[in-house]
Amino acid sequence: MDFERILFFLFATVLIYAAGRVITVRNPIHAALHLVLAFFTCAALWLLLEAEFLAITLVLVYVGAVMVLFLFVVMMLDINTSPLREGFIRYLPLGLGVAFVIVSEMYLVVRARNFGADVIAIPERHPEGYSNVKELGNVLYTDYVYPFEIAAVILLVAIIAAIALTMRKRPETKYQNPAQQVAVKAKDRVRIVEMKAEEKQ
Amino acid sequence: MAHALIEKYKGHLLATALTAGVLGLLVLWLGYQYRDFITGNVLLYTLLKIIAILVPLLLAVAYLTYAERKIIGYMQVRIGPNRVGPRGWLQPIADAMKLLFKEIIFPTNANRFLFVVAPMLSIAPALAAWAVFPFTDTLVLANIDASLLYILALTSVGVYGVIIAGWASNSKYAFLGAMRSAAQIVSYEIAMGFALVGVLIAGGSLNLVEIVEAQQGSFLHWFWLPLFPLFLVYFISGVAETNRAPFDVAEGESEIVAGFHVEYSGMAFAVFFLAEYANMILIAALAALMFLGGWLSPFEGTWFEAWFAWVPAIFWMLAKTALMLLFFLWFRATFPRYRYDQIMRLGWKVFIPITIVWLVVEAAAVMAGIGPWFV
């Protein structure tokens, strides 16, 4: 076994372990941290595929930003895990049904007939000096420019919608107006009064 | 006190220093004898290169703390540390020894595993980012294609150390510090990322070596001039990302004691400290690389070019890094701490619009081919 294959199996094992722990661990913070580990090992696997741009972007976006906010929210919530487990048996049939549908859908798409070694050519090693970033940029901005731009617009709409939904004026919230604060002059705050010293009685 | 101790153990100290020196020479001689074996063995050679980066880096961190105390001292008309060793030069060593021998105390009901892991999560990205850092055009451990992106990704991972430390400590102050720090780092990362997009448009590459090579010509060709707003945004965001004054609300001594590492003692605390200073050096060195021409001589293209031709390239790199680091210390000595809502306002409502506007200006300049920068 060459070094690369050892690395692949190492990362794959860690990935499966971490992904499994995300749904089995009791503490939600530990679950989120295992998800971070899963993203990170996934990025390492992508690096083995020479997809360095996607791998680093996965770390940058999901590990560096999305999961930080996730943890942020999970830490603020005081989640009591025992009531969450009470309905386990009751919801088990429904869960099994959903799981069955997902697994069969995935089987239909990702089975050997579609992704076997005889259907898809084994990816070749690229020569030194090959730039994954340039390739990706070229494809994104030529062949797929419309889907790419449409996806960008949808994301922008989602951002604006999220802000519009949460930004409502609440009378009990206190705001500072920085422009007003900066414009304050000394004489607005302190009044200097000149007066004669009082006579000694 | 310290003087008396040093007088008492002068013999021991001398003997230790001599032994260390002799051992060092022996190792160097052995390395020279077996140089073919060492350079032939990839794993061993890479390990040696990593050590050759990390040891000077950690020494630089130690003496940055000394420089900080001295420089801020002089700025505030004080003397600063001057007791341990001649002119206080051994102060960082003494601090390190003290922290090494202190007990690590675990707070009640703290999550022990995460409490121990948090400092490691903080230092590992801070050190790993140096793997792709080019000190000169040839002096680089791994000259990878997307090195700029790699550094940005790794510095963004460092926030986990802070968040986990705050949560695992089981302390309100630590938790508040962690929350503040997380929100601040995530906010400023966006402005920082946009500033870096500007750099990669001007440099035409994500590779740091190529970005520096795109700045060749004279100091007017360096990117600080065409990308001046981005330079300012990048550096100020860098100060905010490292939680340094005036953006140090994550520590905010007067409000939340010391923020996320309030429960840490001994070496675990020292590791957080190391990570913070290693990140400071990284931000300063990156600013020097991307906006101040990296290892290029500032006299390039002027009359004095030939006079300074003998100066090795790495000297300019280190000198520019030191200059940027001085600004970090200067800010701390000069500015009062920002209020938390002002930090958020500055990041989201000032910096992000500035960077977006300048990206549009820059893209137009590239399309129009305005020289000598955007050819």
Side-chain angles (χ1 to χ4, degrees), chain A residues 110-189:
Chain A
V110 211
R111 66 178 144 176
R113 208 168 77 195
N114 296 345
F115 281 95
D118 48 337
V119 184
I120 288 183
I122 294 168
E124 280 173 37
R125 282 265 155 270
H126 292 285
E128 202 176 333
Y130 164 82
S131 171
N132 178 259
V133 184
K134 273 199 185 104
E135 293 282 313
L136 207 67
N138 275 338
V139 172
L140 269 187
Y141 284 98
T142 53
D143 297 353
Y144 296 101
V145 64
Y146 291 123
F148 183 65
E149 297 290 336
I150 291 170
V153 171
I154 292 175
L155 279 177
L156 185 67
V157 170
I159 294 173
I160 295 173
I163 295 173
L165 284 177
T166 51
M167 273 284 279
R168 52 184 201 278
K169 282 277 179 214
R170 290 166 59 173
E172 69 269 23
T173 322
K174 294 192 173 73
Y175 291 99
Q176 281 115 352
N177 186 348
Q180 244 172 28
Q181 291 180 323
V182 170
V184 162
K185 296 277 184 300
K187 67 173 194 300
D188 299 340
R189 293 284 157 87

Side-chain angles (χ1 to χ4, degrees), chain B residues 79-293:
Chain B
I79 291 174
N82 68 341
R83 292 286 102 182
V84 190
R87 293 168 178 273
W89 286 335
L90 295 180
Q91 182 70 46
I93 312 285
D95 289 342
M97 293 309 263
K98 183 194 83 172
L99 288 169
L100 261 177
F101 290 115
K102 275 202 161 183
E103 184 190 356
I104 297 177
I105 297 164
F106 292 94
T108 335
N109 288 336
N111 187 320
R112 272 182 102 91
F113 176 72
L114 288 182
F115 190 79
V116 174
V117 163
M120 301 179 199
L121 277 178
S122 185
I123 187 95
L127 297 182
W130 289 90
V132 298
F133 192 87
F135 296 92
T136 71
D137 46 355
T138 49
L139 208 61
V140 44
L141 179 63
N143 192 1
I144 65 169
D145 194 51
S147 42
L148 184 61
L149 206 58
Y150 170 85
I151 287 185
L152 190 65
L154 273 190
T155 45
S156 70
V157 172
V159 66
Y160 280 101
V162 174
I163 301 184
I164 293 175
W167 184 76
S169 299
N170 189 31
S171 151
K172 290 185 183 68
Y173 290 127
F175 188 61
L176 279 175
M179 290 287 119
R180 285 181 174 195
S181 163
Q184 182 180 328
I185 291 179
V186 171
S187 313
Y188 277 83
E189 214 165 67
I190 300 172
M192 200 173 195
F194 271 129
L196 296 187
V197 170
V199 171
L200 75 94
I201 292 178
S205 171
L206 273 175
N207 183 310
L208 286 167
V209 177
E210 283 174 33
I211 287 175
V212 173
E213 277 165 358
Q215 304 179 45
Q216 252 158 5
S218 72
F219 71 97
L220 292 176
H221 288 70
W222 298 350
F223 288 156
W224 66 270
L225 188 57
L227 305 181
F228 192 67
L230 297 185
F231 177 39
L232 291 185
V233 168
Y234 172 78
F235 193 62
I236 298 172
S237 304
V239 176
E241 284 260 295
T242 46
N243 288 328
R244 294 283 304 177
F247 302 101
D248 58 344
V249 288
E251 292 179 23
E253 301 89 342
S254 48
E255 303 156 21
I256 49 174
V257 197
F260 61 92
H261 55 47
V262 68
E263 302 291 346
Y264 280 84
S265 58
M267 211 49 211
F269 167 76
V271 168
F272 275 120
F273 215 68
L274 272 177
E276 180 182 330
Y277 280 77
N279 272 328
M280 264 168 73
I281 300 179
L282 184 70
I283 296 283
L286 276 178
L289 263 190
M290 295 185 300
F291 297 99
L292 298 177

Side-chain angles (χ1 to χ4, degrees), chain B residues 71-82:
Chain B
I71 290 171
I72 294 182
Y74 285 133
M75 283 180 180
Q76 296 169 345
V77 206
R78 295 183 283 116
I79 291 174
N82 68 341

Side-chain angles (χ1 to χ4, degrees), chain B residues 282-349:
Chain B
L282 184 70
I283 296 283
L286 276 178
L289 263 190
M290 295 185 300
F291 297 99
L292 298 177
W295 55 83
L296 302 174
S297 158
F299 300 104
E300 204 180 12
T302 63
W303 294 337
F304 310 107
E305 190 178 349
W307 294 7
F308 291 94
W310 55 272
V311 180
I314 191 166
F315 171 79
W316 297 121
M317 180 69 229
L318 297 181
K320 287 166 189 173
T321 309
L323 177 73
M324 297 316 288
L325 278 173
L326 176 67
F327 285 121
F328 267 99
L329 309 185
W330 197 349
F331 290 162
R332 187 172 166 198
T334 326
F335 293 127
R337 185 176 298 135
Y338 258 95
R339 207 173 60 201
Y340 189 72
D341 65 310
Q342 288 174 328
I343 291 185
M344 285 297 155
R345 184 175 164 272
L346 185 72
W348 289 98
K349 291 189 177 171

Side-chain angles (χ1 to χ4, degrees), chain A residues 9-84:
Chain A
F9 282 115
L10 178 73
F11 287 133
T13 319
V14 174
L15 177 57
I16 292 172
Y17 165 78
R21 291 299 277 168
V22 173
I23 50 171
T24 52
V25 83
R26 279 168 182 273
N27 189 330
I29 307 260
H30 289 190
L33 288 174
H34 276 105
L35 190 55
V36 171
L37 180 63
F39 281 136
F40 213 87
T41 35
C42 195
L45 281 178
W46 288 4
L47 269 185
L48 289 180
L49 276 173
E50 299 189 349
E52 72 262 16
F53 182 78
L54 286 178
I56 298 176
T57 315
L58 180 71
V59 172
L60 182 62
V61 175
Y62 280 90
V63 177
V66 174
M67 286 314 292
V68 172
L69 296 178
F70 229 91
L71 265 182
F72 199 99
V73 174
V74 173
M75 282 178 178
M76 299 269 246
L77 303 174
D78 188 20
I79 299 176
N80 194 357
T81 44
S82 54
L84 288 178

